[in-house]
Amino acid sequence: MAQHTLARGRVCPDCDGFPVVHITTGTTAPGGGRNTLAATCPACHGTGTRSTRTTTAGVSA
């Protein structure tokens, strides 16, 4: 039997569907873990999908 999935929209071409990453700062927390910073994709604002195609005006090739 076929599996049906919901359409989620288009995957963001800038982050390839991985909209939030954690980057280590190089320092350790008092408990021994690493301190990290969360960085979100500026193109999709952390959603991982793009609903419409966007164009950039004024960019020369």
Side-chain angles (χ1 to χ4, degrees):
M1 185 176 242
Q3 294 287 327
H4 298 283
T5 58
L6 297 174
R8 294 183 51 189
R10 295 175 25 159
V11 174
C12 176
D14 293 328
C15 66
D16 290 328
F18 295 95
V20 181
V21 295
H22 289 270
I23 303 166
T24 183
T25 61
T27 59
T28 56
R34 295 276 182 175
N35 290 330
T36 60
L37 297 172
T40 59
C41 176
C44 66
H45 304 288
T47 62
T49 59
R50 298 277 272 316
S51 58
T52 59
R53 175 174 245 172
T54 59
T55 58
T56 305
V59 176
S60 304

